[in-house]
Amino acid sequence: MMDKNLEGVLALGQNDIIQKLGISTSNIDAHEYAIFAGKCLAFLIANTDIFGDLLVSLIGFSVGSLVAYYCAYDLFRLGKLDKLLSLSFVGSPLKISQLDSDLILNMGGRVFNVYSHDDYLLRYLTVVDSDQEEPIGLRKFTRADFIDLNSVTPEIGKNTQLVRNLNLSEWVKSHSEFKFHSFIILDFLYKVISYNLFLLRIESLTS
């Protein structure tokens, strides 16, 4: 009998992943596992009280950023983005072209990106990739990557900084070195996420 959580993922349309899992999990690479895990997590957050009334902050390092992103993406599709406080990427292999602009715009000001220009692993993957698009783990990204700044609507205009970036190029030269600077990263994320939580509380008191 299929686990209820997997039934939920199947209901979200992930038939291909479920079928692969049913045949042989050894044939699924880390990328597919990460996407699957993110969608399972989204289903749990959206349909259970696993976190109670608490808001969730998703933080993903490296391939883990795919888990965080696809969780946020499915929460957005399910109309449950209000359960999410923030979305953070650290050394992410994701590319701008892979990110859903509607999700990023609706998360306005609650997306955080920690990157290094000199991460040689991500740099190598960019060189061997056919389109050679830099992942966000190598660069900052802003609202200009998602919208035409000459046609900003009043709603988007309020979110002057859709994404907050932290550049660790001075310290991080290899992919694993992000972990050596976890204190700097977590301190940055703690401050910006706490600020966003403060703004939400102010908004709830004034609405």
Side-chain angles (χ1 to χ4, degrees):
M1 185 174 182
M2 185 180 289
D3 183 270
K4 288 184 178 180
N5 294 337
L6 295 188
E7 288 179 345
V9 176
L10 183 60
L12 293 178
Q14 305 310 312
N15 306 60
D16 54 337
I17 297 178
I18 295 296
Q19 288 170 1
K20 287 180 182 178
L21 284 176
I23 297 172
S24 174
T25 57
S26 63
N27 292 330
I28 299 181
D29 61 22
H31 182 273
E32 290 174 310
Y33 267 126
I35 294 174
F36 179 72
K39 291 178 178 294
C40 286
L41 181 58
F43 174 77
L44 290 173
I45 294 173
N47 296 285
T48 71
D49 60 353
I50 186 171
F51 293 110
D53 295 327
L54 297 176
L55 294 175
V56 178
S57 287
L58 297 171
I59 303 174
F61 166 61
S62 191
V63 177
S65 64
L66 275 71
V67 179
Y69 172 72
Y70 283 99
C71 176
Y73 177 66
D74 267 20
L75 287 173
F76 177 57
R77 289 175 55 219
L78 291 167
K80 299 289 186 179
L81 203 57
D82 59 334
K83 290 181 174 287
L84 197 58
L85 176 61
S86 62
L87 173 61
S88 303
F89 306 112
V90 180
S92 175
L94 283 164
K95 304 170 185 177
I96 295 293
S97 61
Q98 294 175 300
L99 303 180
D100 183 82
S101 58
D102 289 334
L103 168 63
I104 301 300
L105 293 174
N106 277 274
M107 288 285 297
R110 295 182 290 141
V111 179
F112 311 107
N113 182 45
V114 181
Y115 69 97
S116 169
H117 294 303
D118 301 321
D119 183 330
Y120 67 77
L121 175 60
L122 291 181
R123 183 69 61 192
Y124 170 76
L125 293 177
T126 303
V127 171
V128 299
D129 195 3
S130 58
D131 62 16
Q132 297 192 352
E133 179 187 352
E134 282 192 340
I136 60 175
L138 285 174
R139 51 162 293 189
K140 69 177 181 179
F141 68 103
T142 68
R143 66 176 184 162
D145 290 305
F146 299 97
I147 59 176
D148 180 359
L149 295 182
N150 295 319
S151 59
V152 175
T153 65
E155 292 75 19
I156 296 175
K158 290 186 295 184
N159 298 319
T160 55
Q161 193 171 11
L162 289 174
V163 182
R164 300 181 197 280
N165 295 275
L166 176 63
N167 183 358
L168 290 184
S169 300
E170 184 177 347
W171 298 282
V172 173
K173 306 301 179 183
S174 69
H175 201 57
S176 62
E177 287 182 358
F178 278 107
K179 294 183 289 185
F180 301 150
H181 300 285
S182 57
F183 176 80
I184 296 175
I185 295 169
L186 292 176
D187 182 61
F188 165 74
L189 294 177
Y190 172 76
K191 288 176 180 177
V192 291
I193 292 172
S194 296
Y195 177 70
N196 275 273
L197 186 58
F198 170 74
L199 292 180
L200 285 176
R201 287 174 176 169
I202 293 297
E203 185 178 333
S204 66
L205 291 174
T206 57
S207 59

